[in-house]
mmCIF file of all heavy atoms in Angstrom:
data_model
loop_
_atom_site.group_PDB
_atom_site.id
_atom_site.type_symbol
_atom_site.label_atom_id
_atom_site.label_comp_id
_atom_site.label_asym_id
_atom_site.label_seq_id
_atom_site.Cartn_x
_atom_site.Cartn_y
_atom_site.Cartn_z
ATOM 1 N N ASP A 1 103.734 119.039 129.686
ATOM 2 C CA ASP A 1 102.466 118.330 129.799
ATOM 3 C C ASP A 1 102.624 116.826 129.661
ATOM 4 O O ASP A 1 101.844 116.063 130.231
ATOM 5 C CB ASP A 1 101.465 118.851 128.757
ATOM 6 C CG ASP A 1 102.063 118.849 127.356
ATOM 7 O OD1 ASP A 1 103.270 118.590 127.248
ATOM 8 O OD2 ASP A 1 101.335 119.118 126.389
ATOM 9 N N ALA A 2 103.595 116.365 128.893
ATOM 10 C CA ALA A 2 103.776 114.925 128.686
ATOM 11 C C ALA A 2 105.264 114.613 128.587
ATOM 12 O O ALA A 2 105.921 115.062 127.653
ATOM 13 C CB ALA A 2 103.046 114.465 127.428
ATOM 14 N N LYS A 3 105.773 113.856 129.552
ATOM 15 C CA LYS A 3 107.169 113.433 129.517
ATOM 16 C C LYS A 3 107.221 112.082 128.811
ATOM 17 O O LYS A 3 107.292 111.025 129.435
ATOM 18 C CB LYS A 3 107.743 113.360 130.918
ATOM 19 C CG LYS A 3 107.843 114.729 131.590
ATOM 20 C CD LYS A 3 108.506 114.637 132.960
ATOM 21 C CE LYS A 3 108.649 116.034 133.573
ATOM 22 N NZ LYS A 3 109.287 115.987 134.906
ATOM 23 N N VAL A 4 107.185 112.157 127.486
ATOM 24 C CA VAL A 4 107.112 110.969 126.643
ATOM 25 C C VAL A 4 108.122 111.110 125.522
ATOM 26 O O VAL A 4 108.307 112.208 124.972
ATOM 27 C CB VAL A 4 105.691 110.781 126.072
ATOM 28 C CG1 VAL A 4 105.637 109.570 125.144
ATOM 29 C CG2 VAL A 4 104.683 110.631 127.194
ATOM 30 N N LEU A 5 108.770 110.001 125.168
ATOM 31 C CA LEU A 5 109.699 109.960 124.045
ATOM 32 C C LEU A 5 109.100 109.141 122.916
ATOM 33 O O LEU A 5 108.507 108.078 123.144
ATOM 34 C CB LEU A 5 111.040 109.354 124.457
ATOM 35 C CG LEU A 5 111.959 110.198 125.339
ATOM 36 C CD1 LEU A 5 113.201 109.407 125.709
ATOM 37 C CD2 LEU A 5 112.344 111.501 124.652
ATOM 38 N N LEU A 6 109.263 109.638 121.693
ATOM 39 C CA LEU A 6 108.871 108.905 120.492
ATOM 40 C C LEU A 6 110.117 108.338 119.848
ATOM 41 O O LEU A 6 111.066 109.070 119.578
ATOM 42 C CB LEU A 6 108.145 109.831 119.515
ATOM 43 C CG LEU A 6 106.885 110.521 120.026
ATOM 44 C CD1 LEU A 6 106.281 111.396 118.928
ATOM 45 C CD2 LEU A 6 105.862 109.524 120.517
ATOM 46 N N HIS A 7 110.135 107.039 119.608
ATOM 47 C CA HIS A 7 111.283 106.366 119.006
ATOM 48 C C HIS A 7 110.983 106.159 117.517
ATOM 49 O O HIS A 7 110.003 105.496 117.160
ATOM 50 C CB HIS A 7 111.541 105.029 119.700
ATOM 51 C CG HIS A 7 111.787 105.170 121.171
ATOM 52 N ND1 HIS A 7 113.052 105.304 121.713
ATOM 53 C CD2 HIS A 7 110.924 105.227 122.229
ATOM 54 C CE1 HIS A 7 112.968 105.419 123.024
ATOM 55 N NE2 HIS A 7 111.690 105.371 123.369
ATOM 56 N N VAL A 8 111.829 106.721 116.668
ATOM 57 C CA VAL A 8 111.536 106.763 115.241
ATOM 58 C C VAL A 8 112.749 106.322 114.430
ATOM 59 O O VAL A 8 113.886 106.311 114.910
ATOM 60 C CB VAL A 8 111.126 108.185 114.802
ATOM 61 C CG1 VAL A 8 109.918 108.667 115.574
ATOM 62 C CG2 VAL A 8 112.286 109.165 114.964
ATOM 63 N N LEU A 9 112.459 105.971 113.186
ATOM 64 C CA LEU A 9 113.479 105.713 112.176
ATOM 65 C C LEU A 9 113.362 106.794 111.115
ATOM 66 O O LEU A 9 112.275 107.041 110.584
ATOM 67 C CB LEU A 9 113.291 104.341 111.532
ATOM 68 C CG LEU A 9 113.769 103.137 112.336
ATOM 69 C CD1 LEU A 9 113.229 101.847 111.728
ATOM 70 C CD2 LEU A 9 115.279 103.090 112.405
ATOM 71 N N HIS A 10 114.473 107.454 110.800
ATOM 72 C CA HIS A 10 114.453 108.541 109.831
ATOM 73 C C HIS A 10 114.416 108.006 108.405
ATOM 74 O O HIS A 10 114.878 106.897 108.107
ATOM 75 C CB HIS A 10 115.687 109.432 110.008
ATOM 76 C CG HIS A 10 115.661 110.248 111.260
ATOM 77 N ND1 HIS A 10 114.748 111.245 111.470
ATOM 78 C CD2 HIS A 10 116.428 110.202 112.375
ATOM 79 C CE1 HIS A 10 114.954 111.789 112.658
ATOM 80 N NE2 HIS A 10 115.964 111.173 113.229
ATOM 81 N N LEU A 11 113.866 108.827 107.529
ATOM 82 C CA LEU A 11 113.831 108.489 106.106
ATOM 83 C C LEU A 11 115.244 108.458 105.544
ATOM 84 O O LEU A 11 116.019 109.395 105.729
ATOM 85 C CB LEU A 11 112.987 109.524 105.357
ATOM 86 C CG LEU A 11 112.917 109.376 103.841
ATOM 87 C CD1 LEU A 11 112.223 108.082 103.455
ATOM 88 C CD2 LEU A 11 112.189 110.566 103.225
ATOM 89 N N ARG A 12 115.593 107.367 104.877
ATOM 90 C CA ARG A 12 116.921 107.216 104.298
ATOM 91 C C ARG A 12 116.951 107.499 102.800
ATOM 92 O O ARG A 12 118.003 107.805 102.245
ATOM 93 C CB ARG A 12 117.448 105.799 104.545
ATOM 94 C CG ARG A 12 117.516 105.411 106.008
ATOM 95 C CD ARG A 12 118.324 104.159 106.205
ATOM 96 N NE ARG A 12 117.856 103.060 105.375
ATOM 97 C CZ ARG A 12 118.406 101.844 105.373
ATOM 98 N NH1 ARG A 12 119.436 101.588 106.171
ATOM 99 N NH2 ARG A 12 117.938 100.887 104.598
ATOM 100 N N GLY A 13 115.819 107.374 102.137
ATOM 101 C CA GLY A 13 115.776 107.578 100.693
ATOM 102 C C GLY A 13 114.629 106.793 100.095
ATOM 103 O O GLY A 13 113.635 106.492 100.764
ATOM 104 N N LEU A 14 114.757 106.441 98.845
ATOM 105 C CA LEU A 14 113.753 105.664 98.134
ATOM 106 C C LEU A 14 114.313 104.290 97.821
ATOM 107 O O LEU A 14 115.463 104.165 97.395
ATOM 108 C CB LEU A 14 113.323 106.364 96.847
ATOM 109 C CG LEU A 14 112.519 107.656 97.017
ATOM 110 C CD1 LEU A 14 112.316 108.327 95.666
ATOM 111 C CD2 LEU A 14 111.182 107.390 97.675
ATOM 112 N N GLU A 15 113.485 103.267 98.017
ATOM 113 C CA GLU A 15 113.897 101.895 97.737
ATOM 114 C C GLU A 15 113.219 101.419 96.456
ATOM 115 O O GLU A 15 111.998 101.516 96.320
ATOM 116 C CB GLU A 15 113.515 100.978 98.902
ATOM 117 C CG GLU A 15 113.982 99.547 98.729
ATOM 118 C CD GLU A 15 113.666 98.692 99.937
ATOM 119 O OE1 GLU A 15 113.087 99.225 100.910
ATOM 120 O OE2 GLU A 15 113.992 97.481 99.911
ATOM 121 N N LEU A 16 114.039 100.926 95.530
ATOM 122 C CA LEU A 16 113.532 100.420 94.255
ATOM 123 C C LEU A 16 113.304 98.921 94.375
ATOM 124 O O LEU A 16 114.239 98.155 94.648
ATOM 125 C CB LEU A 16 114.529 100.722 93.128
ATOM 126 C CG LEU A 16 114.151 100.211 91.740
ATOM 127 C CD1 LEU A 16 112.868 100.871 91.244
ATOM 128 C CD2 LEU A 16 115.290 100.447 90.752
ATOM 129 N N PHE A 17 112.066 98.494 94.182
ATOM 130 C CA PHE A 17 111.713 97.084 94.281
ATOM 131 C C PHE A 17 111.809 96.421 92.905
ATOM 132 O O PHE A 17 111.803 97.103 91.873
ATOM 133 C CB PHE A 17 110.304 96.935 94.854
ATOM 134 C CG PHE A 17 110.236 97.166 96.334
ATOM 135 C CD1 PHE A 17 110.122 98.445 96.843
ATOM 136 C CD2 PHE A 17 110.317 96.111 97.227
ATOM 137 C CE1 PHE A 17 110.067 98.659 98.206
ATOM 138 C CE2 PHE A 17 110.263 96.316 98.588
ATOM 139 C CZ PHE A 17 110.137 97.591 99.089
ATOM 140 N N PRO A 18 111.909 95.102 92.892
ATOM 141 C CA PRO A 18 112.065 94.397 91.601
ATOM 142 C C PRO A 18 110.947 94.692 90.599
ATOM 143 O O PRO A 18 111.173 94.614 89.394
ATOM 144 C CB PRO A 18 112.083 92.912 92.007
ATOM 145 C CG PRO A 18 112.598 92.917 93.415
ATOM 146 C CD PRO A 18 112.047 94.164 94.030
ATOM 147 N N ASP A 19 109.747 95.013 91.079
ATOM 148 C CA ASP A 19 108.663 95.288 90.144
ATOM 149 C C ASP A 19 108.726 96.698 89.565
ATOM 150 O O ASP A 19 107.882 97.073 88.746
ATOM 151 C CB ASP A 19 107.305 95.063 90.818
ATOM 152 C CG ASP A 19 107.110 95.977 92.028
ATOM 153 O OD1 ASP A 19 108.053 96.717 92.373
ATOM 154 O OD2 ASP A 19 106.021 95.929 92.628
ATOM 155 N N GLY A 20 109.721 97.507 90.007
ATOM 156 C CA GLY A 20 109.896 98.847 89.479
ATOM 157 C C GLY A 20 109.268 99.942 90.306
ATOM 158 O O GLY A 20 109.389 101.121 89.949
ATOM 159 N N SER A 21 108.608 99.611 91.404
ATOM 160 C CA SER A 21 107.986 100.629 92.245
ATOM 161 C C SER A 21 109.018 101.258 93.168
ATOM 162 O O SER A 21 110.019 100.642 93.536
ATOM 163 C CB SER A 21 106.859 100.013 93.075
ATOM 164 O OG SER A 21 107.372 98.978 93.910
ATOM 165 N N LEU A 22 108.773 102.496 93.547
ATOM 166 C CA LEU A 22 109.625 103.236 94.470
ATOM 167 C C LEU A 22 108.855 103.490 95.757
ATOM 168 O O LEU A 22 107.734 104.009 95.739
ATOM 169 C CB LEU A 22 110.064 104.576 93.864
ATOM 170 C CG LEU A 22 111.202 104.545 92.849
ATOM 171 C CD1 LEU A 22 111.427 105.927 92.259
ATOM 172 C CD2 LEU A 22 112.483 104.049 93.500
ATOM 173 N N VAL A 23 109.463 103.099 96.879
ATOM 174 C CA VAL A 23 108.838 103.228 98.192
ATOM 175 C C VAL A 23 109.834 103.897 99.123
ATOM 176 O O VAL A 23 111.038 103.610 99.072
ATOM 177 C CB VAL A 23 108.412 101.845 98.750
ATOM 178 C CG1 VAL A 23 107.803 101.990 100.145
ATOM 179 C CG2 VAL A 23 107.429 101.173 97.804
ATOM 180 N N ARG A 24 109.346 104.793 99.966
ATOM 181 C CA ARG A 24 110.221 105.442 100.939
ATOM 182 C C ARG A 24 110.852 104.403 101.855
ATOM 183 O O ARG A 24 110.162 103.537 102.403
ATOM 184 C CB ARG A 24 109.432 106.472 101.753
ATOM 185 C CG ARG A 24 109.183 107.780 101.028
ATOM 186 C CD ARG A 24 108.492 108.778 101.921
ATOM 187 N NE ARG A 24 107.127 108.355 102.218
ATOM 188 C CZ ARG A 24 106.060 108.687 101.489
ATOM 189 N NH1 ARG A 24 106.218 109.450 100.427
ATOM 190 N NH2 ARG A 24 104.863 108.272 101.822
ATOM 191 N N ASP A 25 112.157 104.533 102.037
ATOM 192 C CA ASP A 25 112.925 103.557 102.816
ATOM 193 C C ASP A 25 113.291 104.179 104.158
ATOM 194 O O ASP A 25 114.016 105.174 104.219
ATOM 195 C CB ASP A 25 114.189 103.151 102.048
ATOM 196 C CG ASP A 25 115.033 102.155 102.827
ATOM 197 O OD1 ASP A 25 114.489 101.518 103.744
ATOM 198 O OD2 ASP A 25 116.224 102.020 102.525
ATOM 199 N N TYR A 26 112.778 103.579 105.214
ATOM 200 C CA TYR A 26 113.085 104.031 106.567
ATOM 201 C C TYR A 26 114.015 103.055 107.298
ATOM 202 O O TYR A 26 114.205 103.169 108.495
ATOM 203 C CB TYR A 26 111.804 104.192 107.377
ATOM 204 C CG TYR A 26 110.880 105.253 106.839
ATOM 205 C CD1 TYR A 26 109.860 104.929 105.944
ATOM 206 C CD2 TYR A 26 111.017 106.583 107.215
ATOM 207 C CE1 TYR A 26 109.005 105.908 105.445
ATOM 208 C CE2 TYR A 26 110.170 107.558 106.723
ATOM 209 C CZ TYR A 26 109.169 107.213 105.842
ATOM 210 O OH TYR A 26 108.330 108.177 105.349
ATOM 211 N N GLY A 27 114.548 102.124 106.563
ATOM 212 C CA GLY A 27 115.454 101.171 107.197
ATOM 213 C C GLY A 27 114.701 99.937 107.648
ATOM 214 O O GLY A 27 113.933 99.347 106.904
ATOM 215 N N PHE A 28 114.885 99.576 108.899
ATOM 216 C CA PHE A 28 114.297 98.348 109.438
ATOM 217 C C PHE A 28 113.430 98.698 110.623
ATOM 218 O O PHE A 28 113.927 99.210 111.625
ATOM 219 C CB PHE A 28 115.421 97.415 109.876
ATOM 220 C CG PHE A 28 114.937 96.122 110.494
ATOM 221 C CD1 PHE A 28 114.361 95.147 109.707
ATOM 222 C CD2 PHE A 28 115.064 95.886 111.848
ATOM 223 C CE1 PHE A 28 113.928 93.957 110.271
ATOM 224 C CE2 PHE A 28 114.649 94.709 112.402
ATOM 225 C CZ PHE A 28 114.071 93.743 111.620
ATOM 226 N N PRO A 29 112.099 98.549 110.585
ATOM 227 C CA PRO A 29 111.335 97.978 109.473
ATOM 228 C C PRO A 29 111.147 98.991 108.358
ATOM 229 O O PRO A 29 111.251 100.173 108.584
ATOM 230 C CB PRO A 29 109.985 97.644 110.114
ATOM 231 C CG PRO A 29 109.833 98.680 111.174
ATOM 232 C CD PRO A 29 111.232 98.929 111.697
ATOM 233 N N SER A 30 110.836 98.505 107.166
ATOM 234 C CA SER A 30 110.670 99.393 106.024
ATOM 235 C C SER A 30 109.249 99.912 105.991
ATOM 236 O O SER A 30 108.417 99.618 106.836
ATOM 237 C CB SER A 30 110.968 98.639 104.725
ATOM 238 O OG SER A 30 109.936 97.701 104.468
ATOM 239 N N ALA A 31 108.978 100.724 104.983
ATOM 240 C CA ALA A 31 107.628 101.259 104.826
ATOM 241 C C ALA A 31 106.627 100.139 104.568
ATOM 242 O O ALA A 31 105.438 100.316 104.762
ATOM 243 C CB ALA A 31 107.593 102.266 103.686
ATOM 244 N N ARG A 32 107.109 98.993 104.120
ATOM 245 C CA ARG A 32 106.228 97.849 103.937
ATOM 246 C C ARG A 32 106.295 96.976 105.187
ATOM 247 O O ARG A 32 106.603 95.789 105.147
ATOM 248 C CB ARG A 32 106.645 97.044 102.709
ATOM 249 C CG ARG A 32 106.437 97.835 101.418
ATOM 250 C CD ARG A 32 106.680 96.972 100.199
ATOM 251 N NE ARG A 32 106.332 97.684 98.979
ATOM 252 C CZ ARG A 32 106.396 97.154 97.765
ATOM 253 N NH1 ARG A 32 106.796 95.922 97.616
ATOM 254 N NH2 ARG A 32 106.053 97.854 96.712
#
């Protein structure tokens, strides 16, 4: 029905930011 490709970045893990929060890290660009 649709010959379409989705280009994605896979989840690599969790990224710890200096403020102590944990955010899912998808590489570049990040979740932020």
Side-chain angles (χ1 to χ4, degrees):
D1 52 352
K3 294 184 177 180
V4 178
L5 287 177
L6 302 180
H7 302 267
V8 302
L9 282 167
H10 290 294
L11 176 65
R12 302 193 306 180
L14 291 173
E15 183 176 0
L16 178 63
F17 284 84
D19 60 356
S21 60
L22 281 175
V23 178
R24 282 184 292 270
D25 179 19
Y26 296 93
F28 178 72
S30 71
R32 294 187 173 183

